[in-house]
Amino acid sequence: MKQVKLYPKVAFDLFYEQSKWALWFFAFLIAAHIIGIFIVARNDTSIPQFFVFSSQSVAIFMLICGIMLAYAFMGYYVQQGITRKDLYLGTILSALALALAVTLIPLAVNGFEHLISGFAALPIDSEAATLLGTASEWFPAAGIFFTNAFTYYLIGMLIGIGYYRFGWIIGFAFVGIAIAALSLNGYFLGDSGLSAAIPWIPHDPADASPFLSIGGSLLLIAALLASTRVLTKRISIKIQ
């Protein structure tokens, strides 16, 4: 009898649960941006448009989602009879969907702000640099935003699975690996956020060379996908 593939259901369930987290996250983030607009308006300054404003916060959110995966969902699904392969495939599909969602929401909010600015003066810096140059480069900037979000999720997965499988002592080694991965991600995508504090990664971003930027990002993602697959293939599940 052919075994039923359950990873689509896992992917849907995981995306559904984590998208609820994302809605709460964006509710607070949008509120913070609105408050920021009122504050800078009183000081006669400007605030970055929401797409730029949200970029680092979204990356941290995805990192936390990835870390929580092992402890919040892995044991439950395996105890329900889901194979580790189906769980892995479902997780990756849900991470891709979540990365797409957290990319589209800032774009939608940004478009709404643009519409409002057509008949109301908003103190928003429309010329602020996006993740890739100027605000007119929305498509490549959205692509980098998506790639960055997905990569942060995978790095979070690596940390969470490392702690879950090996415990706290060896888990610290995975934090070191994650810092290196974050640094490389920042170098390839020109992200000056968390990676800016790492001294051994060059500060000149690789986006000056599109081939190095795209190729390096894809290699990093492939390495993270392979690592998380190896770590979860025969992982012992803790019965709760």
Side-chain angles (χ1 to χ4, degrees):
M1 181 180 295
K2 186 176 180 180
Q3 187 176 12
V4 178
K5 298 184 183 300
L6 297 176
Y7 66 85
K9 184 181 186 308
V10 173
F12 176 82
D13 290 345
L14 283 176
F15 174 72
Y16 177 75
E17 290 299 323
Q18 293 187 323
S19 64
K20 290 190 291 186
W21 303 353
L23 290 176
W24 279 106
F25 164 74
F26 277 110
F28 285 108
L29 195 60
I30 292 171
H33 195 245
I34 293 173
I35 293 172
I37 289 175
F38 282 105
I39 292 175
V40 299
R42 292 173 62 90
N43 297 325
D44 197 26
T45 56
S46 62
I47 190 172
Q49 51 197 316
F50 189 77
F51 185 77
V52 180
F53 178 84
S54 65
S55 60
Q56 290 301 322
S57 299
V58 166
I60 300 301
F61 170 76
M62 293 295 283
L63 182 74
I64 293 172
C65 285
I67 292 174
M68 292 180 64
L69 173 76
Y71 290 92
F73 299 109
M74 186 180 297
Y76 168 78
Y77 279 111
V78 172
Q79 290 178 48
Q80 296 299 314
I82 304 296
T83 66
R84 288 160 177 78
K85 182 179 180 181
D86 279 340
L87 177 59
Y88 173 78
L89 292 175
T91 299
I92 298 305
L93 289 176
S94 69
L96 286 168
L98 186 63
L100 180 61
V102 300
T103 301
L104 294 177
I105 291 174
L107 284 174
V109 174
N110 214 89
F112 183 71
E113 288 180 343
H114 179 73
L115 289 175
I116 294 178
S117 64
F119 55 86
L122 295 178
I124 295 176
D125 184 6
S126 61
E127 298 300 322
T130 63
L131 293 175
L132 183 71
T134 64
S136 62
E137 299 169 314
W138 289 117
F139 184 76
I144 289 183
F145 196 107
F146 168 82
T147 303
N148 193 56
F150 181 59
T151 305
Y152 267 71
Y153 190 100
L154 294 179
I155 293 172
M157 275 183 63
L158 185 68
I159 296 173
I161 293 170
Y163 271 97
Y164 186 92
R165 178 166 181 171
F166 299 107
W168 289 95
I169 297 178
I170 299 179
F172 279 113
F174 284 87
V175 173
I177 296 171
I179 291 174
L182 288 170
S183 304
L184 288 171
N185 180 66
Y187 173 66
F188 292 134
L189 298 183
D191 175 22
S192 60
L194 294 179
S195 60
I198 311 301
W200 56 272
I201 290 294
H203 292 290
D204 294 329
D207 58 7
S209 172
F211 293 106
L212 177 59
S213 179
I214 296 172
S217 296
L218 291 177
L219 284 175
L220 177 60
I221 289 173
L224 291 169
L225 288 171
S227 300
T228 51
R229 174 56 180 151
V230 170
L231 288 170
T232 57
K233 196 169 185 179
R234 287 181 173 81
I235 190 171
S236 298
I237 300 301
K238 301 174 183 178
I239 305 298
Q240 300 179 353

